[in-house]
Amino acid sequence: MAAFMDTQNLAEQLIIANQDKARLEAELILANIELDFQNAEKRNRAAELTIANKELDFHIAEKANRAAELIIANKELLFQNSEKENRAAELVIAYAQLDVQNQEREKRAAELILANTELIFQNKEKEKRAAELIIANEELIFQNLEKEKRAAELIIANKELLFQNEEKEKRANELVIANKKLIFENLEKGKRAAELIIANIELDFQGGEKEKLAAELIIALKELGYQDEEKSKRAAELIIANRELLVQKLEKERRAVAEAKKDEFFNMVSHEFKTPLTNIKAIHQLLEKKTNKADKIYPFLANANNSIKRLEKLIADLLDVTKINSGQIDLNIAAFYFADALTNSIANVELTANQHEIILENSVELLYSGDQFRIEQVLINLLTNAIKYSPNAEQVIVRAKLEAGHIVVCIEDFGIGIASEDIGHLFQRFYRVGKTALQYQGVGLGLYIAGEIVKKHQGTFTTTSEPGKGSSFCFSLPLT
């Protein structure tokens, strides 16, 4: 009976293996179909390129843009074809590996029968833990998406309000110019009326010309009436524009009040979070000390520790933002060796930078009067971003030098880079690059805080970047 059960289990495993093999074959077929579809798309794009080239004789201004788009599309298709070929190769390798695994499974069938009972129990435990972890991750992802949506909506609303204000100001300027023109025309009308009065006096002595001048007078009076109507219309438009400007002003004031309330809410929430988070941190540290590193629970405690650190940084950033917006952030100015700030910041970040080497190529050995804590906060933020956005690189380079009475510090990474249209928005509050916002954690406050701290030191920021090659963030601090 036992032998029959073993044989039955082995048969079930072989059936599952064959099903996996069939699934891989189906995936290979689907990959080939997708590859054929991509090739067809490529031919279609080539046909579109031929048609576009013919049309370019009549649309020279559009030629460069369309050609660039088609070149990018061809590159994308080549990349997709390469990906499909890689996928097909992987499926072929997987098919070969599956044959080898089937042979190994036959040899290890006896061992698997003995281990099945224990594995079933362990799998149930793992499924429970995995389900709990998946639920927690889904809740965290949902909350992050909601936060990003709210931040994006606020940014769009602010941009629309700025655009509307600019349009209203342009319209008001146009109406002011129109009013000046009408005033000038009225003066011309007065002169013309005076000329017509003189002409009427002369008509008493010039009978033959009287009828002609009378006709001109009638036409001039009609023109004056038409111009008066135009003046009334322009005046009405000016009144409407002024009302719209007043509405925009009230909207700005309402937004300002809303921003103030939001900052007050952030400040309140940050302070309310600090006390329970401190308690959670203390309990976590106690659990971490009492838990053996070999225990299954220990990795979850380590993950929880990282989450606590992220919450602490988020609360600190929110507090700094509310202080900056309310003008309450003060600098503790004192003389310190700038080289110490560089080495302290690098040492702080290196504790968590397991895959990156931070290289300090140049340093500045002099006393600088500023807030050392805040300067180190800027450096740590830039170094952390450089590591986070260069996951496949191994180095981050720090350079510091004296230049024209300024200390210039540059931090260069070799990561994903930033598009030129996004560079101008990096130091805005809650701004995150759309293409990378979902791939990397953050709320878009770090660079905003760093920029405000450098401004407080009368300094400036410059950023250069190229997508796919890396970025360089430099800030300059005056020595006086």
Side-chain angles (χ1 to χ4, degrees):
M1 185 65 180
F4 175 74
M5 291 296 293
D6 295 342
T7 304
Q8 187 177 2
N9 291 333
L10 180 59
E12 290 177 353
Q13 292 175 2
L14 289 173
I15 290 169
I16 293 170
N18 290 327
Q19 289 176 350
D20 292 338
K21 180 178 178 181
R23 180 177 57 80
L24 290 173
E25 290 176 349
E27 290 180 358
L28 179 59
I29 292 168
L30 289 175
N32 289 327
I33 292 171
E34 288 181 2
L35 185 60
D36 293 336
F37 176 75
Q38 292 297 331
N39 289 328
E41 285 293 319
K42 184 177 179 181
R43 289 193 294 271
N44 292 336
R45 290 296 176 86
E48 291 176 1
L49 181 59
T50 303
I51 294 169
N53 286 329
K54 293 179 180 179
E55 292 178 354
L56 285 176
D57 295 333
F58 304 96
H59 304 283
I60 295 174
E62 296 295 326
K63 182 176 181 180
N65 294 333
R66 187 63 183 273
E69 291 175 359
L70 290 171
I71 289 168
I72 292 169
N74 284 332
K75 289 181 180 179
E76 288 179 355
L77 286 172
L78 289 173
F79 175 75
Q80 291 174 359
N81 288 335
S82 176
E83 288 294 317
K84 298 302 178 183
E85 290 171 0
N86 293 336
R87 184 67 181 276
E90 290 174 0
L91 289 173
V92 171
I93 294 169
Y95 181 75
Q97 289 177 348
L98 185 60
D99 289 336
V100 175
Q101 289 174 359
N102 286 334
Q103 295 174 0
E104 289 294 323
R105 282 176 183 152
E106 291 174 359
K107 295 177 182 179
R108 295 184 180 178
E111 297 176 1
L112 290 172
I113 291 170
L114 297 175
N116 276 336
T117 305
E118 184 179 353
L119 285 173
I120 289 170
F121 175 75
Q122 291 177 356
N123 286 333
K124 289 181 179 179
E125 290 295 319
K126 287 180 182 177
E127 288 173 358
K128 291 180 182 178
R129 294 293 175 82
E132 293 173 357
L133 183 60
I134 289 168
I135 293 170
N137 286 333
E138 288 177 351
E139 290 179 356
L140 183 59
I141 290 169
F142 177 75
Q143 292 174 358
N144 288 333
L145 290 174
E146 287 296 318
K147 290 178 182 176
E148 290 169 359
K149 288 179 182 177
R150 293 293 175 81
E153 290 173 358
L154 181 60
I155 291 168
I156 293 169
N158 287 332
K159 288 181 180 178
E160 289 179 355
L161 182 60
L162 290 173
F163 177 76
Q164 290 175 0
N165 287 335
E166 291 174 356
E167 290 296 319
K168 296 303 178 185
E169 289 173 359
K170 290 178 182 177
R171 188 66 181 274
N173 291 332
E174 292 174 357
L175 290 173
V176 170
I177 293 169
N179 283 333
K180 290 180 179 179
K181 187 177 179 181
L182 287 173
I183 292 170
F184 175 76
E185 290 175 353
N186 287 332
L187 292 175
E188 289 295 319
K189 290 175 187 176
K191 293 178 182 179
R192 187 67 181 274
E195 292 173 357
L196 290 172
I197 291 170
I198 294 170
N200 285 328
I201 295 172
E202 291 178 357
L203 283 173
D204 294 336
F205 304 96
Q206 299 173 356
E209 297 293 325
K210 186 175 181 180
E211 292 180 358
K212 295 180 182 179
L213 291 175
E216 289 179 358
L217 179 61
I218 292 169
I219 293 169
L221 290 174
K222 288 181 179 179
E223 264 182 33
L224 286 172
Y226 175 74
Q227 290 176 357
D228 287 336
E229 290 179 359
E230 287 294 318
K231 183 177 179 181
S232 300
K233 291 179 181 178
R234 291 293 177 86
E237 290 177 356
L238 182 60
I239 292 170
I240 293 170
N242 287 331
R243 288 178 180 174
E244 289 180 352
L245 286 173
L246 180 60
V247 171
Q248 292 296 328
K249 182 180 178 182
L250 293 174
E251 182 67 17
K252 282 183 181 179
E253 292 174 353
R254 187 188 68 78
R255 288 293 178 91
V257 172
E259 287 290 329
K261 289 182 178 179
K262 183 173 68 176
D263 290 336
E264 182 182 356
F265 172 75
F266 284 155
N267 191 26
M268 179 190 68
V269 169
S270 301
H271 282 94
E272 290 295 327
F273 278 178
K274 286 183 73 175
T275 301
L277 184 61
T278 302
N279 294 334
I280 292 171
K281 186 177 180 181
I283 294 170
H284 176 269
Q285 289 174 348
L286 181 62
L287 287 172
E288 195 172 16
K289 287 180 181 179
K290 291 188 175 183
T291 303
N292 190 344
K293 291 186 177 181
D295 197 313
K296 295 179 180 179
I297 302 175
Y298 191 80
F300 294 100
L301 291 175
N303 188 27
N305 186 37
N306 293 332
S307 298
I308 290 171
K309 288 180 180 179
R310 285 199 297 269
L311 276 175
E312 285 181 327
K313 186 179 185 306
L314 176 60
I315 291 170
D317 287 346
L318 288 174
L319 287 172
D320 284 342
V321 168
T322 54
K323 288 179 181 178
I324 289 170
N325 292 335
S326 61
Q328 296 178 355
I329 186 170
D330 295 322
L331 301 179
N332 296 319
I333 303 297
F336 66 92
Y337 282 100
F338 199 85
D340 292 342
L342 290 171
T343 54
N344 291 344
S345 303
I346 292 172
N348 189 310
V349 176
E350 281 180 335
L351 295 175
T352 57
N354 298 326
Q355 299 178 351
H356 291 73
E357 179 186 6
I358 302 176
I359 300 173
L360 179 60
E361 287 192 351
N362 307 97
S363 186
V364 176
E365 300 289 343
L366 56 75
L367 282 172
Y368 172 74
S369 294
D371 190 329
Q372 182 175 357
F373 172 77
R374 293 296 183 182
I375 295 297
E376 290 181 3
Q377 184 179 357
V378 173
L379 289 167
I380 290 171
N381 181 275
L382 296 178
L383 288 170
T384 303
N385 282 352
I387 290 171
K388 180 167 65 174
Y389 294 108
S390 59
N392 298 323
E394 297 178 353
Q395 291 183 345
V396 173
I397 298 176
V398 181
R399 301 182 181 92
K401 62 181 179 180
L402 291 176
E403 186 177 281
H406 289 72
I407 296 175
V408 180
V409 180
C410 292
I411 295 175
E412 181 181 5
D413 65 64
F414 304 93
I416 61 175
I418 306 164
S420 58
E421 62 267 20
D422 293 316
I423 290 178
H425 305 288
L426 291 176
F427 293 89
Q428 294 178 2
R429 185 170 56 164
F430 296 114
Y431 182 81
R432 302 202 67 209
V433 178
K435 295 181 180 178
T436 59
L438 296 178
Q439 299 177 16
Y440 301 94
Q441 294 178 346
V443 292
L445 292 177
L447 287 179
Y448 170 74
I449 295 170
E452 294 298 322
I453 291 172
V454 170
K455 285 181 184 178
K456 279 281 188 177
H457 286 82
Q458 309 302 317
T460 57
F461 252 105
T462 57
T463 305
T464 58
S465 183
E466 185 175 352
K469 293 187 177 180
S471 306
S472 178
F473 288 82
C474 300
F475 63 90
S476 175
L477 301 172
L479 292 176
T480 55

